[in-house]
Amino acid sequence: GNLTHAFTAHPKIDAATGEMMFFGYGIGKREKLHYSVVSAQGEILRTEPIHIPKAVMMHDFAITENYTIFMDLPLEFNMMGMLRGKNMFRFNQNRPSRFGIVPRHGGNGDIRWFEGAPCYVYHTVNAWEQGDEIVLIGCRMEKTDVIAPPPGHSTKKAGHSMTIETGATPENLAHLHRWVFNMVTGEMREEQLDDRTAEFPRFNEALMGRHNRYSYTGQGTIPVQGQPQLFYGLLKYDLETGSCVEHNFGPKRYGGEAAFAPRPGGTAEDDGWLVTIVFDEESEQSE
């Protein structure tokens, strides 16, 4: 009975403390965002309202050893547009991206906001503290409308027709990205780390909120108009050297997000396996 708000798709568990952080967002509430911390024993320790100017779709976030990072990005709810048969979300290119950093056990009065160019991030990799700075790694796209059906798609319900306009463009494709926030000067730096399409990132989650070297993502196709993006392989990124190793599933074989399963007794960060499901279009079999 203590959970009073929605629960994010991507809660974060600190392997060192056992604490779990999560958030929920909504429409029409003054705060529009609530942040909660759960103890290692499974009890909600605190729930804090976080004020943001407008209701936005906030799919993921990140933690460090001492902080939690929220992304107030310009993918806004468009309720009036939805009533007119348009997408319920609207990417506002005139609105900056905001990154809010709050102490793990802090609240709205403790949060610091950093602003950058408009973008969207469906999934973060990880974040960590580095002296006076906080480093965030994630999959960034210039804009997004990929959650809408293809152009001209018509849904008839109760005698009404709804048409959603969208399309795959280079701006919709995600790439591995690094943000660095200086907690002393208030400066934010960012850079794209690779030009390959990369999404659904994972890593060795024993290092959640601590510095990690390796990240694994799906490598995606560049979709044509009205077609979904497919992932034909995996990428292993070395965040220290910038190198990348590609693994291709083979012709007409497509996979999904790959979870990292550490080897029992292993000591190296990347000692383990990647586990995913691969579908073969020719045989119509999955393995």
Side-chain angles (χ1 to χ4, degrees), residues 26 74-75 80 96-97 100 111 119 137 160 206 273 286:
L75 185 57
M80 294 304 297
S97 295
I111 197 165
C119 71
I137 308 292
H160 297 284
W273 296 268
S286 293

Side-chain angles (χ1 to χ4, degrees), residues 141 146 167-175 195-200 217-235 246-256 279 281:
M141 51 182 63
V146 297
T169 66
E171 293 85 5
N172 288 152
L173 302 178
H175 304 90
D195 59 3
R196 281 165 278 214
T197 301
E199 249 294 7
F200 298 104
T217 72
Q219 183 173 16
T221 60
I222 298 178
V224 298
Q225 187 84 357
Q227 296 298 314
Q229 184 175 25
L230 300 173
F231 291 88
Y232 60 86
L234 299 173
L235 299 171
E246 298 187 16
H247 173 79
N248 196 299
F249 296 135
K252 296 187 177 181
R253 291 166 58 86
Y254 302 101
F279 175 70
E281 286 192 334

Side-chain angles (χ1 to χ4, degrees), residues 94-223:
N94 298 316
R95 187 168 173 265
S97 295
R98 301 198 316 148
F99 299 81
I101 301 179
V102 61
R104 176 174 296 185
H105 293 280
N108 187 70
D110 308 304
I111 197 165
R112 292 191 61 184
W113 290 101
F114 297 77
E115 286 193 1
C119 71
Y120 198 74
V121 180
Y122 279 103
H123 299 109
T124 63
V125 179
N126 195 21
W128 60 83
E129 297 161 36
Q130 192 169 277
D132 293 332
E133 297 181 325
I134 291 178
V135 178
L136 170 66
I137 308 292
C139 296
R140 179 190 187 273
M141 51 182 63
E142 292 289 328
K143 57 177 288 191
T144 181
D145 53 22
V146 297
I147 57 174
H153 177 81
S154 179
T155 301
K156 292 185 180 293
K157 184 176 182 181
H160 297 284
S161 176
M162 180 175 68
T163 301
I164 310 259
E165 295 297 333
T166 186
T169 66
E171 293 85 5
N172 288 152
L173 302 178
H175 304 90
L176 202 67
H177 206 80
R178 178 192 289 123
W179 294 263
V180 181
F181 309 95
N182 191 303
M183 299 298 287
V184 174
T185 67
E187 177 191 12
M188 184 186 84
R189 308 188 308 275
E190 60 177 299
E191 61 177 328
Q192 183 174 307
L193 300 179
D194 193 29
D195 59 3
R196 281 165 278 214
T197 301
E199 249 294 7
F200 298 104
R202 298 295 289 267
F203 67 106
N204 185 336
E205 293 183 8
L207 296 172
M208 179 73 74
R210 274 76 175 174
H211 179 270
N212 70 288
R213 179 171 181 174
Y214 301 106
S215 174
Y216 311 94
T217 72
Q219 183 173 16
T221 60
I222 298 178

